[in-house]
Amino acid sequence: MLDKSSKIYVAGHRGLVGSAIWNNLKARGYDNLVGRSHAELDLLDPAAVKAFFDAERPDAVVLAAAHVGGIMANLRYRADFIYQNLQIQQNVIGESFRHDVKKLLFLGSTCIYPRMAPQPMREDALLTSELEYTNEPYAIAKIAGLKMCESFSLQYGCNYVAVMPTNLYGPNDNFHLENSHVLPAMMRKAHLARLLSEGDWTALRRDLALRPVEGVGGAADRGLIEDVLARYGITPGVLTLWGTGAPMREFLWSEDMADASVHVLLNVDFGDTYDHACSEIRNCHINVGTGLELSIRSLAMKVMSEVGFDGELRWDSSKPDGTPRKLTDVSRLHALGWRHKVDIDEGIHRLYEWYRQGLADERRG
């Protein structure tokens, strides 16, 4: 068991989930935390990772670091997604084993499941049919990571547990349109569409100054700004989103994910994740989600309402939808003692408040 003095290394502690896990641990009284930014420690460098473990010798590791992105990024940078994630996992899990880490928590993604998996997706749906093409390289990397945890635990008696969260959103989310996930991308597009429709160029330039789009910042020529926003479906009075809006998705507030992760880290061992009567031990990972879903179209309507954009919503059906439906079965997680707290309406409101606060802080700065 980990106690309040245990040294816990949170890999990816500045990211969406890692930062929330860090804060959750702090709130519970776990103050002996270790984190390194990418500039301080390149997890792709095996020598650097070894040197870090040699120096710090953590008792526990939370592997929340990953190379992530939305459907556009996954399509464009397939090699980056499989190579970088495999390398990060190989280095961190390998050094955790070599340095006798007591507990490791690996964070994956529910994109590990087949494109046409039975819904809701149980843990035993893994590897039963082909993956969704758009994110196949990332999914394969995450499958490898959870299988590393499973295999080290079975062969060497390690206590490595893998959790597979559904689509996450929350504070410190990525709002850069080129590589963000669906909900933050949708929210920022609706925000920019509202500003463009209202002719509020002061606020629009402030937003682009904080997060340029394809290198186009707030000081750029107005025509250049209009051109780059149009490439992302943002025009006066009209917002165009990818796909048909028909796919069903489940969303989990990142601070809920952090709470679930810390609950598993502190209370769930590898031996709790499978039926000991089974002759073949596999699929020991744990789904983390709400067990609730809504269509991308319904999500868009909620986001537009929250942001205050009352223009026309269009769908570009020439662009891919991704997996038709992706709902997790969270019965294993519930049996292990955890349930979500933040529903989608409250989460969308909180996220937009966080986004607006960041813009306000930048203005004052």
Side-chain angles (χ1 to χ4, degrees):
M1 285 292 295
L2 300 176
D3 57 37
K4 298 294 175 65
S5 65
S6 298
K7 180 182 282 191
I8 303 173
Y9 167 45
V10 182
H13 75 295
R14 291 186 176 178
L16 172 65
V17 185
S19 62
I21 289 174
W22 183 282
N23 293 335
N24 190 287
L25 284 165
K26 283 280 190 182
R28 294 175 187 242
Y30 289 82
D31 293 319
N32 193 7
L33 305 181
V34 181
R36 293 289 187 275
S37 68
H38 176 71
E40 295 168 325
L41 175 60
D42 181 1
L43 295 178
L44 297 175
D45 182 346
V49 176
K50 179 182 184 303
F52 167 79
F53 273 83
D54 286 345
E56 293 293 343
R57 298 195 170 274
D59 299 303
V61 170
V62 177
L63 181 43
H67 181 64
V68 300
I71 190 170
M72 184 185 299
N74 272 272
L75 277 168
R76 287 181 178 174
Y77 309 114
R78 299 177 75 83
D80 294 345
F81 277 90
I82 191 167
Y83 169 75
Q84 292 189 28
N85 284 297
L86 285 173
Q87 189 78 344
I88 290 168
Q89 296 161 192
Q90 173 81 4
N91 292 337
V92 175
I93 296 174
E95 292 304 329
S96 295
F97 172 69
R98 284 185 279 273
H99 288 81
D100 297 317
V101 164
K102 296 176 186 176
K103 185 77 176 282
L104 182 141
L105 182 71
F106 173 75
L107 276 69
S109 166
T110 52
C111 73
I112 62 169
Y113 292 113
R115 171 180 169 79
M116 301 305 293
Q119 303 290 317
M121 301 178 297
R122 292 165 44 90
E123 285 85 354
D124 58 14
L126 184 66
L127 298 175
T128 54
S129 60
E130 68 181 11
L131 297 165
E132 160 62 30
Y133 176 77
T134 53
N135 57 23
E136 184 180 66
Y138 179 76
I140 288 173
K142 288 300 179 180
I143 292 169
L146 74 88
K147 286 298 180 183
M148 284 183 71
C149 292
E150 191 176 281
S151 300
F152 271 102
S153 297
L154 290 172
Q155 182 174 345
Y156 294 109
C158 298
N159 196 6
Y160 298 172
V161 180
V163 290
M164 299 294 126
T166 188
N167 298 287
L168 300 173
Y169 68 106
N172 297 314
D173 218 327
N174 175 13
F175 287 86
H176 290 274
L177 297 185
E178 294 99 310
N179 55 12
S180 55
H181 285 117
V182 59
L183 204 162
M186 185 184 290
M187 181 170 286
R188 189 180 180 204
K189 286 178 180 180
H191 176 77
L192 292 172
R194 177 177 66 79
L195 297 180
L196 194 61
S197 299
E198 294 173 353
D200 190 346
W201 278 88
T202 300
L204 195 150
R205 289 183 182 279
R206 188 183 308 129
D207 186 289
L208 291 174
L210 184 60
R211 298 180 180 89
V213 178
E214 295 185 6
V216 177
D221 175 78
R222 180 179 291 202
L224 183 58
I225 290 174
E226 290 174 336
D227 287 345
V228 74
L229 292 182
R231 288 202 290 274
Y232 288 85
I234 304 164
T235 55
V238 178
L239 175 61
T240 303
L241 300 176
W242 272 32
T244 65
M248 303 295 290
R249 289 292 182 270
E250 174 186 15
F251 293 91
L252 179 67
W253 182 245
S254 61
E255 292 173 334
D256 268 355
M257 174 57 195
D259 194 64
S261 298
V262 175
H263 175 81
V264 171
L265 179 70
L266 301 180
N267 301 294
V268 178
D269 293 323
F270 177 75
D272 301 323
T273 64
Y274 63 91
D275 182 353
H276 289 251
C278 292
S279 59
E280 293 185 351
I281 300 171
R282 62 179 68 190
N283 304 326
C284 302
H285 55 285
I286 304 166
N287 288 339
V288 181
T290 64
L292 305 170
E293 63 183 345
L294 77 166
S295 71
I296 294 297
R297 183 179 296 274
S298 296
L299 177 69
M301 299 307 294
K302 289 178 181 293
V303 168
M304 287 169 59
S305 176
E306 176 65 34
V307 170
F309 174 68
D310 56 4
E312 181 184 355
L313 175 62
R314 296 177 184 172
W315 297 92
D316 182 359
S317 59
S318 69
K319 299 295 193 298
D321 268 335
T323 306
R325 192 178 177 210
K326 200 169 71 167
L327 178 66
T328 56
D329 182 316
V330 288
S331 55
R332 177 178 289 180
L333 179 65
H334 288 174
L336 292 169
W338 190 90
R339 292 174 182 267
H340 81 282
K341 302 176 183 66
V342 179
D343 65 25
I344 187 66
D345 292 307
E346 180 184 353
I348 288 172
H349 176 69
R350 286 195 194 184
L351 184 62
Y352 192 49
E353 287 295 301
W354 183 88
Y355 184 77
R356 293 176 64 192
Q357 186 60 51
L359 293 171
D361 292 344
E362 180 69 16
R363 183 181 184 182
R364 286 194 294 270

